[in-house]
Amino acid sequence: MTVSIIVLAAGQGTRMRSQLPKVLQPLAGRPLLDHVLDTAQALDPRRLLVVHGHGADAVRETCDRDGVDWVLQAEQLGTGHAVDQAMPEVSDEDIVLVLYGDVPLITRTSLDALLAATSDSTLGLLTIELDDPAGYGRILRNTQGRIERIVEHKDATDKERDIREINTGLLAAPAEKMKRWLRSLDNRNAQGEYYLTDIIAMSVAEGMEVVGVAAQSAAEVHGINDRSQLAAAEAMYRERQAQALMQQGVHLLDPARIDIRGELSCGLDVQVDVNVVFEGKVTLADGVRIGPNCVLRDVTVGKNTVIDAFSHIESADIGKSCSIGPYARLRPGSLLKDDVKVGNFVEIKKSELARGAKVNHLTYIGDASIGEVVNIGAGTITCNYDGVNKHRTVIEDGAFIGSNASLVAPVRVGRNATVGAGSVISKDVGDDALAVTRARQSEIADWQRPTKK
């Protein structure tokens, strides 16, 4: 059996109250449609067709990828009309699977079950029972329990609205029959649209069995039409990610307070405190501990490193047994070797710190190379920018930089050199040398401080 997948992504999403097309609204930092395409491509379809309409250029530009073909629905005339736009691209021999760009949490497990229930003589329909089915199309079964048709909420009688089994919208059917049914659709309903769900009654009329496949959970068929539903999906996604991490052995101090907006890989005995946000691709090795309220974006962290509270780390590579924070900021291009300490209110940008270097507090290190076991005192800054160009500071192994020093780049501090506290260093310092640039201290005895009259 070969499968072609059609993803419906043409809606405007007016209830979002946004200039952004609905399928581009972010879930875990990525467009809704991206999540659906990931799952669809995991099924290895022969064709993957996305029907787009509102904001077509933005949707296509944002979510275009290899293996995806785009079909424009110039007028949004209903789900049946949308699928029909893509059907000329589908082989008659295929099974067609219909997905939705605003149902991002659907799992491959449920889709595999749906496809397994579909054949040349059966139509697979994904359903679920909800405590509150308001707004959804209801599944109507006959006295033998077989599905006969679907009635949309607005077209349903009061008795039909009492039914709790609903249509998720996801279905699979043989392509040749699907094409014929779509040509027979009409729009005589409360919405004046061509409903894809009307093909259920057509298939039953032909004697084809409609097989209802129960979705594993309500979360994975959760559709998104407004901000409230988007927030609910975010919570569902967060819970799913947290459960997966804990099954891998990650210690989450509060699973409800973690945000993964990308790809997170963890080793053994990793501990993550509350309100930590992971973005992009983050890798945490064995024994890493992340304190509360940290943000990590595109970061690799080595074994047994500790990142304390309120640290913000982006595009950095951190070695083993390092200590970061609290309140540290590592900007893009930061490379920390093993046993490095970066303390509170330290900012590092585009710099390498060798093994055992210490930058304990209240310091800015930019465009610098810091040697092994260098100690940089509080209040030190590398003056790397002259208003036009960035310049580099080099501090060799074993150097000691006193507090409140300013290193005016380009400048080199030699191996085992010492810079006295409060110095402004604008010339290279030799190996094993002491550099001090303080003004001579003077004192006036019995000084009378001016007072206001």
Short mmCIF file of all heavy atoms in Angstrom, two decimals, residues 265-271 283-289 301-305 320-321:
data_model
loop_
_atom_site.label_atom_id
_atom_site.label_comp_id
_atom_site.label_asym_id
_atom_site.label_seq_id
_atom_site.Cartn_x
_atom_site.Cartn_y
_atom_site.Cartn_z
N SER A 265 18.43 16.94 24.10
CA SER A 265 19.00 15.61 24.34
C SER A 265 19.69 15.61 25.69
O SER A 265 20.48 16.53 25.98
CB SER A 265 20.01 15.25 23.24
OG SER A 265 19.40 15.25 21.97
N CYS A 266 19.41 14.61 26.51
CA CYS A 266 19.94 14.56 27.88
C CYS A 266 20.63 13.23 28.15
O CYS A 266 20.15 12.18 27.73
CB CYS A 266 18.82 14.77 28.90
SG CYS A 266 18.03 16.38 28.84
N GLY A 267 21.73 13.30 28.91
CA GLY A 267 22.40 12.11 29.37
C GLY A 267 21.79 11.61 30.66
O GLY A 267 20.66 11.96 31.02
N LEU A 268 22.54 10.82 31.41
CA LEU A 268 22.07 10.26 32.67
C LEU A 268 22.16 11.29 33.79
O LEU A 268 23.06 12.12 33.82
CB LEU A 268 22.89 9.02 33.03
CG LEU A 268 22.85 7.86 32.03
CD1 LEU A 268 23.79 6.76 32.49
CD2 LEU A 268 21.43 7.33 31.87
N ASP A 269 21.22 11.19 34.73
CA ASP A 269 21.25 11.97 35.97
C ASP A 269 21.29 13.47 35.73
O ASP A 269 21.92 14.24 36.46
CB ASP A 269 22.45 11.55 36.84
CG ASP A 269 22.38 10.08 37.24
OD1 ASP A 269 21.30 9.65 37.70
OD2 ASP A 269 23.38 9.37 37.06
N VAL A 270 20.59 13.91 34.72
CA VAL A 270 20.43 15.35 34.47
C VAL A 270 19.30 15.86 35.35
O VAL A 270 18.26 15.22 35.48
CB VAL A 270 20.13 15.62 32.99
CG1 VAL A 270 19.71 17.06 32.76
CG2 VAL A 270 21.35 15.27 32.14
N GLN A 271 19.50 17.03 35.94
CA GLN A 271 18.46 17.65 36.78
C GLN A 271 18.13 19.03 36.25
O GLN A 271 19.02 19.83 35.98
CB GLN A 271 18.94 17.76 38.23
CG GLN A 271 17.94 18.46 39.15
CD GLN A 271 18.41 18.50 40.59
OE1 GLN A 271 18.59 17.47 41.22
NE2 GLN A 271 18.61 19.70 41.11
N THR A 283 22.05 20.11 24.03
CA THR A 283 22.54 18.81 24.46
C THR A 283 23.13 18.94 25.86
O THR A 283 24.03 19.76 26.09
CB THR A 283 23.61 18.27 23.50
OG1 THR A 283 23.06 18.16 22.19
CG2 THR A 283 24.09 16.90 23.95
N LEU A 284 22.62 18.13 26.79
CA LEU A 284 23.09 18.13 28.17
C LEU A 284 23.70 16.76 28.45
O LEU A 284 23.02 15.74 28.36
CB LEU A 284 21.94 18.40 29.15
CG LEU A 284 21.09 19.65 28.89
CD1 LEU A 284 19.98 19.75 29.93
CD2 LEU A 284 21.94 20.91 28.89
N ALA A 285 24.98 16.73 28.84
CA ALA A 285 25.66 15.47 29.11
C ALA A 285 25.32 14.96 30.51
O ALA A 285 24.58 15.61 31.27
CB ALA A 285 27.16 15.66 28.94
N ASP A 286 25.84 13.82 30.86
CA ASP A 286 25.56 13.19 32.16
C ASP A 286 25.86 14.14 33.31
O ASP A 286 26.87 14.85 33.32
CB ASP A 286 26.43 11.94 32.34
CG ASP A 286 26.12 10.84 31.34
OD1 ASP A 286 25.12 10.97 30.61
OD2 ASP A 286 26.90 9.86 31.28
N GLY A 287 24.96 14.14 34.28
CA GLY A 287 25.20 14.86 35.52
C GLY A 287 25.04 16.36 35.47
O GLY A 287 25.33 17.06 36.45
N VAL A 288 24.57 16.89 34.37
CA VAL A 288 24.37 18.34 34.28
C VAL A 288 23.20 18.76 35.17
O VAL A 288 22.17 18.08 35.24
CB VAL A 288 24.10 18.76 32.81
CG1 VAL A 288 23.63 20.20 32.73
CG2 VAL A 288 25.36 18.57 31.98
N ARG A 289 23.35 19.90 35.84
CA ARG A 289 22.27 20.46 36.65
C ARG A 289 21.98 21.88 36.19
O ARG A 289 22.89 22.70 36.09
CB ARG A 289 22.64 20.45 38.13
CG ARG A 289 22.66 19.04 38.73
CD ARG A 289 22.83 19.07 40.24
NE ARG A 289 24.17 19.49 40.62
CZ ARG A 289 24.45 20.40 41.55
NH1 ARG A 289 23.47 21.01 42.18
NH2 ARG A 289 25.69 20.70 41.83
N VAL A 301 26.39 21.26 26.63
CA VAL A 301 26.89 21.35 28.00
C VAL A 301 27.54 20.02 28.37
O VAL A 301 26.93 18.96 28.25
CB VAL A 301 25.77 21.68 28.99
CG1 VAL A 301 26.34 21.86 30.40
CG2 VAL A 301 25.04 22.95 28.56
N GLY A 302 28.80 20.07 28.86
CA GLY A 302 29.54 18.87 29.19
C GLY A 302 29.17 18.27 30.53
O GLY A 302 28.41 18.84 31.32
N LYS A 303 29.73 17.10 30.82
CA LYS A 303 29.40 16.33 32.02
C LYS A 303 29.61 17.13 33.30
O LYS A 303 30.59 17.86 33.45
CB LYS A 303 30.26 15.07 32.09
CG LYS A 303 29.89 13.99 31.09
CD LYS A 303 30.74 12.75 31.31
CE LYS A 303 30.34 11.63 30.35
NZ LYS A 303 31.15 10.41 30.58
N ASN A 304 28.65 16.98 34.21
CA ASN A 304 28.75 17.49 35.59
C ASN A 304 28.86 19.00 35.69
O ASN A 304 29.24 19.54 36.73
CB ASN A 304 29.93 16.83 36.32
CG ASN A 304 29.79 15.33 36.40
OD1 ASN A 304 28.70 14.80 36.66
ND2 ASN A 304 30.88 14.61 36.15
N THR A 305 28.52 19.69 34.64
CA THR A 305 28.49 21.15 34.70
C THR A 305 27.22 21.61 35.41
O THR A 305 26.15 21.02 35.25
CB THR A 305 28.59 21.74 33.29
OG1 THR A 305 29.93 21.62 32.85
CG2 THR A 305 28.19 23.21 33.26
N LYS A 320 33.28 20.17 30.53
CA LYS A 320 32.94 19.38 31.70
C LYS A 320 33.21 20.15 32.99
O LYS A 320 34.12 20.98 33.07
CB LYS A 320 33.77 18.09 31.72
CG LYS A 320 33.60 17.20 30.51
CD LYS A 320 34.57 16.01 30.60
CE LYS A 320 34.49 15.13 29.36
NZ LYS A 320 35.48 14.03 29.41
N SER A 321 32.41 19.86 34.00
CA SER A 321 32.63 20.33 35.38
C SER A 321 32.81 21.85 35.45
O SER A 321 33.60 22.35 36.26
CB SER A 321 33.86 19.62 35.98
OG SER A 321 33.68 18.22 35.97
#
